[in-house]
Amino acid sequence: MSTPKLGPVGSYVKQHFRHFNAAALIDAAEGYRVYLEQGGKMMVTLGGAMSTAELGLSFAEMIRQDKVHLIVCTGANLEEDIFNLVAHDFYERVPHYRDLTPQDEKALLDRHMNRVTDTCIPEMEAMRRMEKAMLEVWMEADAKGERYFPHEFLQKVLKSGKYKEYYQIDPKHSWMLAALEKNVPIVVPGWEDSTLGNMFAAAVIRGDVKNVHTVRTGIEYMTWLAKHYQEVTKTSTLGMFQIAGGISGDFPICVVPMLHQDLELTEVPLWGYFCQISDSTTSYGSYSGAVPNEKITWGKLGIDTPKFIIESDATIVAPLVFAYLLGW
């Protein structure tokens, strides 16, 4: 095992993060590094509002440095990276959000500022601008009888270059642009539960889009993922680095028991590494709060799979893990 090349941030956490969740962070980061060094491939899943938390500042570089080989994210994270790209200057922070009254919240609504904890996303500059862009590509595909995945439609918009004039951050901080540049596959389970998903539904209701299946479905994502997992694991194992809980983590991890139990392809390997960052405590029936060993009973992980759980705020932990791996 080689010695990690640590920058100032990595050196700091290596020196000071010695116990409890701090030690778990180091263990998980070292496990990630060693796993890649030994030839493993890594899937990163994004739950919560990590794009609005501007995880792209570090995640995009992880992608560019070939430390991420598959991305699974919620529809919100998919679109919010682009919202931030084209409307960053119009975002507003509300550091005193805990003190807001219902009247204060209504005032934000009246200004078309949609709050995510301490950050307000500007509806007109972000969401409506992207709605116009997406409606163009949805209707064009619909008219041609073509169908694409949700992320592919967003990539069409990015590739067109028509919205470059609206970029308000350094493009190198957009993980969507980095994934497009490096051709890293993306899976978006439950995309319907997103702002653009609502806009697509409205377009279907209005009749702007005739075929509701112009946007490909979650089941099609799973069938794609099953083939991809089998292909990748012919030459290496695939690991899973899960940021937050929910569908972005639960959907892809299930591909292994589906292959084993439903398709009886028992030669397919289990996940080769697993780490979850979550502040969800272990509770009754919660996937997000389930300890990794529970996944053994579902045929997702093995007894010897390297397993880590960091029970902390992902907006703090993930950038530190990435900094450690990037030599920052």
Side-chain angles (χ1 to χ4, degrees):
M1 185 188 306
S2 67
T3 302
K5 296 177 182 178
L6 301 177
V9 177
S11 298
Y12 179 87
V13 297
K14 184 75 169 176
Q15 173 66 16
H16 295 280
F17 285 30
R18 299 191 176 206
H19 302 281
F20 319 134
N21 273 304
L25 184 155
I26 294 295
D27 293 342
E30 263 298 286
Y32 194 137
R33 183 186 70 82
V34 171
Y35 182 70
L36 294 185
E37 192 175 84
Q38 294 176 342
K41 303 294 184 182
M42 190 64 78
M43 173 183 76
V44 174
T45 75
L46 303 178
M50 298 308 298
S51 290
T52 291
E54 298 189 70
L55 187 66
L57 289 163
S58 55
F59 188 45
E61 188 62 20
M62 285 284 290
I63 295 167
R64 282 192 293 270
Q65 291 197 20
D66 298 315
K67 300 183 188 300
V68 178
H69 307 96
L70 171 64
I71 298 164
V72 181
C73 69
T74 58
N77 275 299
L78 184 79
E79 66 196 16
E80 287 174 17
D81 182 77
I82 308 303
F83 292 167
N84 182 58
L85 177 66
V86 301
H88 179 81
D89 294 349
F90 296 94
Y91 278 57
E92 291 182 16
R93 276 202 69 226
V94 187
H96 60 286
Y97 66 92
R98 290 181 177 87
D99 301 326
L100 295 177
T101 66
Q103 290 75 21
D104 294 331
E105 305 279 22
K106 179 60 165 56
L108 289 172
L109 171 65
D110 291 343
R111 295 174 50 223
H112 302 281
M113 301 300 289
N114 303 128
R115 184 169 70 82
V116 180
T117 313
D118 72 342
T119 303
C120 291
I121 302 175
E123 177 187 337
M124 305 313 293
E125 292 80 8
M127 299 168 184
R128 296 306 166 188
R129 181 174 290 164
M130 285 311 301
E131 179 182 32
K132 179 177 182 295
M134 298 308 297
L135 194 56
E136 291 173 357
V137 291
W138 289 334
M139 291 177 65
E140 180 182 6
D142 189 58
K144 294 179 179 178
E146 298 173 349
R147 303 176 62 238
Y148 299 97
F149 282 122
H151 73 278
E152 292 177 318
F153 277 113
L154 271 168
Q155 288 176 332
K156 283 179 176 291
V157 171
L158 293 175
K159 287 177 182 177
S160 75
K162 289 168 56 177
Y163 292 86
K164 278 187 177 180
E165 64 179 295
Y166 299 116
Y167 288 3
Q168 295 183 353
I169 63 169
D170 189 329
K172 74 178 184 181
H173 295 152
S174 164
W175 69 259
M176 278 285 289
L177 285 173
L180 183 60
E181 173 191 334
K182 297 294 291 188
N183 198 31
V184 173
I186 300 173
V187 170
V188 192
W191 171 78
E192 297 84 358
D193 180 23
S194 66
T195 299
L196 289 177
N198 294 160
M199 292 174 176
F200 180 75
V204 172
I205 292 168
R206 288 194 306 265
D208 296 335
V209 174
K210 310 301 182 188
N211 181 7
V212 70
H213 295 298
T214 294
V215 176
R216 297 179 67 183
T217 67
I219 295 298
E220 290 175 279
Y221 265 133
M222 180 56 86
T223 59
W224 179 92
L225 180 59
K227 292 176 184 175
H228 181 75
Y229 190 92
Q230 292 175 81
E231 190 62 33
V232 170
T233 56
K234 285 178 182 177
T235 55
S236 65
T237 59
L238 188 61
M240 176 171 178
F241 189 82
Q242 179 180 337
I243 301 175
I247 194 172
S248 57
D250 196 29
F251 181 91
I253 201 172
C254 289
V255 73
V256 171
M258 187 266 284
L259 289 168
H260 286 178
Q261 299 166 22
D262 300 319
L263 292 173
E264 300 181 350
L265 301 174
T266 53
E267 75 283 359
V268 175
L270 297 172
W271 293 95
Y273 165 103
F274 178 80
C275 175
Q276 179 180 1
I277 305 170
S278 174
D279 59 4
S280 176
T281 55
T282 302
S283 61
Y284 306 102
S286 163
Y287 168 77
S288 299
V291 297
N293 279 353
E294 183 179 292
K295 295 169 175 57
I296 295 173
T297 74
W298 290 87
K300 300 169 182 175
L301 304 179
I303 294 172
D304 300 321
T305 306
K307 308 175 195 68
F308 309 92
I309 185 164
I310 311 167
E311 294 180 293
S312 188
D313 185 334
T315 64
I316 299 170
V317 170
L320 289 174
V321 171
F322 293 163
Y324 185 96
L325 294 167
L326 291 167
W328 287 357

